[in-house]
Amino acid sequence: EIVMTQSPATLSVSPGEGATLSCRASQSVSSNLAWYQQKPGQAPRLLIYAASTRATGIPARFSGSGSGTEFSLTISSLQSEDSAIYYCQQYNNWPSMYTFGQGTKLEIK
Amino acid sequence: EVQLLESGGGLIQPGGSLRLSCAASGFGFSAYAMSWVRQAPGEGLEWVSVISNNGVRTYDADSVKGRFTISRDNSKNTLYLQMNSLRAEDTAVYYCVKHLGAVASPGDYWGRGTLVTVSS
């Protein structure tokens, strides 16, 4: 099983600043990595897939990078609406399992 | 507009069974893989089961293997999850998820979820 580890667990940033969230895979997942945003009481929303491709309707403030085992999600010009938990997910090691990271809670202070 | 509407959740005793349904609309249901993903209260996301677009291939997480069965009826645009031998640790919100394409792709649309509570 591929283990996905996200860091930091919590990140507190001021509005207008940028933030970088990290995700590490226990073995290579190539570029088969997605990022999701989940706000309280809501379902997750796909932000990024194939490590760096923005999903439909996602603003350019969100960008993804990386390949192999190291990935990052960068959010620029943070807004209060960006407060959420962000999850990475690998979909390379199928059919055995798609695994999610434990999440990074982003707070806009 | 893509819509995924889950139903069938509720309170069930340990050892019991439930069948979740997901009514899909707004896209060509038969062209896409579908999954169930769950989230225990206050916890992260856990993928449960996936099914290919034609229903031929299915795969389950080890935690539910042999107890849960995913299926689909493309004529009714509906996804199902039959859950047997339920345990307390199966308590979670269950999300119906449309894949971006085939099974080896992320979920691009998620339903609002249905809560399953396993308790005596």
Side-chain angles (χ1 to χ4, degrees), chain B residues 94-109:
Chain B
Y94 284 74
Y95 294 103
C96 170
V97 181
K98 169 191 170 293
H99 283 247
L100 193 62
V103 292
S105 66
D108 62 345
Y109 286 94

Side-chain angles (χ1 to χ4, degrees), chain B residues 1 15 28-30 40 47 51 62 71 75 80 89 99-100 106-107 111:
Chain B
E1 179 190 5
F29 182 72
S30 63
W47 167 78
I51 187 167
D62 289 342
S71 63
S75 68
Y80 303 100
E89 55 264 35
H99 283 247
L100 193 62

Side-chain angles (χ1 to χ4, degrees), chain A residues 71-86:
Chain A
F71 301 88
S72 61
L73 173 70
T74 299
I75 312 171
S76 62
S77 303
L78 281 162
Q79 304 172 8
S80 58
E81 67 199 46
D82 299 327
S83 289
I85 298 176
Y86 292 81

Side-chain angles (χ1 to χ4, degrees), chain B residues 56-71:
Chain B
V56 170
R57 292 181 294 168
T58 64
Y59 304 104
D60 307 306
D62 289 342
S63 58
V64 306
K65 200 164 292 185
R67 301 187 299 121
F68 291 10
T69 302
I70 190 171
S71 63

Side-chain angles (χ1 to χ4, degrees), chain A residues 13-14 18 21 48 50 62 67 71 99:
Chain A
V13 186
S14 298
L21 287 61
I48 300 286
F62 294 85
S67 66
F71 301 88
T99 42

